[in-house]
């Protein structure tokens, strides 16, 4: 169990961002068995990348090669497992190679920030959001859906998950920053307008997101509660996406 804990990334807030867009792509299209290994490969790939970034960070930014070495084995094993699941998918759907290539620049940004020991930077967080939301399009197309049909729900995912980056900072690391709070509220106000333009029904969850960004910071809410609220917000988004676009 202790080994499992060391291999699974401790970035608990990332899991909803990883899973919800994929599920939205599955549930707004036609589910197929190929989407299951896609999700597993995506999650394993995330775990592999996490350990690669930690290896890079500890070797270069922290200059601690012994600590970095602990991440090498998980990185290699998880990358191998990702390849074992991904290669058959690539054979079945060669266009997945193009999707992976489009995600690569965002991965490169994350690795660069890890090397500089700036993983918590706002830009780095936003760079991670883009490919995660793009997985909605991948899952939808793998189920036989049209990419064009996934653009609006993928945009809604991007609006929500991009907003979680500054919002969570206002709850934890930047909880004393008035500038961050104003920026977060301003972003969520714009996101509400943009989501409403995508579909009027989306105004409901995005109004909730704006309210939580305006009301909750500064109230001393514990980190587990912050995480639970975000899980609920993510499920709310998934429900509306399925209801509107499914």
């Amino acid at each position: 169990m202790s080994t499992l804990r060391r291999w699974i990334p401790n970035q608990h807030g990332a899991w909803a961002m990883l899973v919800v867009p994929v599920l939205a792509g599955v549930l707004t299209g036609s589910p197929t068995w190929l989407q299951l290994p896609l999700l597993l490969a995506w999650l394993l790939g995330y775990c592999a990348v996490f350990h690669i970034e930690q290896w890079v960070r500890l070797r270069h930014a922290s200059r601690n090669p012994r600590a970095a070495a602990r991440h090498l084995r998980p990185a290699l094993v998880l990358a191998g497992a990702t390849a074992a699941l991904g290669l058959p998918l690539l054979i079945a759907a060669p266009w997945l190679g193009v999707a992976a290539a489009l995600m690569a620049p965002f991965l490169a940004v994350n690795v660069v920030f890890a090397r500089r020991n700036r993983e918590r930077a706002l830009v780095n967080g936003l760079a991670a959001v883009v490919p995660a939301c793009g997985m909605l399009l991948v899952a939808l197309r793998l189920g036989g859906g049209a990419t064009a049909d996934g653009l609006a729900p993928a945009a809604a995912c991007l609006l929500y998950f991009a907003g979680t980056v500054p919002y969570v900072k206002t709850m934890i690391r930047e909880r004393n920053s008035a500038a961050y709070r104003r920026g977060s509220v301003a972003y969520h106000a714009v996101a509400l307008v943009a989501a409403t333009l995508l579909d009027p029904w989306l105004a409901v969850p995005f109004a909730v997101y704006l309210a939580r960004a305006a009301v909750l910071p500064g109230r001393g809410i514990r980190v587990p509660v912050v995480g639970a609220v975000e899980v609920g917000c993510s499920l709310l988004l998934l429900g509306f996406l399925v209801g509107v676009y499914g």
Side-chain angles (χ1 to χ4, degrees):
M1 182 63 69
S2 60
T3 300
L4 184 61
R5 288 197 200 100
R6 289 197 301 269
W7 283 39
I8 295 178
N10 59 359
Q11 306 296 322
H12 306 299
W15 294 105
M17 182 181 73
L18 294 168
V19 173
V20 166
V22 176
L23 291 181
V26 171
L27 297 175
T28 56
S30 300
T32 174
W33 69 270
L34 284 174
Q35 291 160 332
L36 179 58
L38 174 72
L39 176 59
L40 292 175
W42 171 240
L43 296 178
L44 286 169
Y46 163 73
C47 294
V49 169
F50 170 82
H51 285 288
I52 290 170
E53 290 176 0
Q54 296 309 305
W55 180 77
V56 169
R57 179 180 67 84
L58 291 168
R59 276 185 62 88
H60 296 279
S62 300
R63 300 191 182 279
N64 191 342
R66 286 190 64 182
R70 294 199 298 267
H71 292 278
L72 190 56
R73 184 184 176 199
L76 293 174
V77 173
L78 291 166
T82 303
L85 283 169
L87 286 176
L89 283 171
L90 189 60
I91 292 171
W95 57 267
L96 287 171
V98 177
L102 291 174
M103 293 181 181
F106 299 97
L107 170 60
V109 170
N110 294 150
V111 172
V112 168
F113 273 90
R115 183 185 175 95
R116 296 176 179 175
N117 201 20
R118 295 186 59 209
E119 294 172 290
R120 304 295 182 180
L122 183 64
V123 173
N124 190 51
L126 294 174
V129 167
V130 177
C133 295
M135 284 298 293
L136 187 153
L137 302 174
V138 175
L140 179 64
R141 183 173 176 184
L142 196 61
T147 301
D149 293 336
L151 293 177
C157 278
L158 187 60
L159 286 170
Y160 167 66
F161 285 109
T164 64
V165 179
Y167 164 71
V168 170
K169 288 185 181 297
T170 67
M171 299 298 291
I172 303 174
R173 293 181 180 273
E174 301 290 344
R175 57 183 176 272
N176 296 320
S177 172
Y180 252 97
R181 288 190 197 178
R182 289 193 296 269
S184 176
V185 171
Y187 171 84
H188 282 86
V190 173
L192 171 58
V193 175
T196 304
L197 292 175
L198 289 173
D199 189 279
W201 277 108
L202 292 179
V204 177
F206 279 86
V208 173
Y209 305 149
L210 173 58
R212 68 98 157 77
V215 173
L216 297 186
R219 296 184 176 272
I221 298 174
R222 293 183 302 161
V223 173
V225 177
V226 174
V229 169
E230 289 313 292
V231 169
C233 287
S234 299
L235 293 176
L236 180 66
L237 176 67
L238 178 62
F240 269 86
L241 291 180
V242 174
V244 171
Y245 298 105

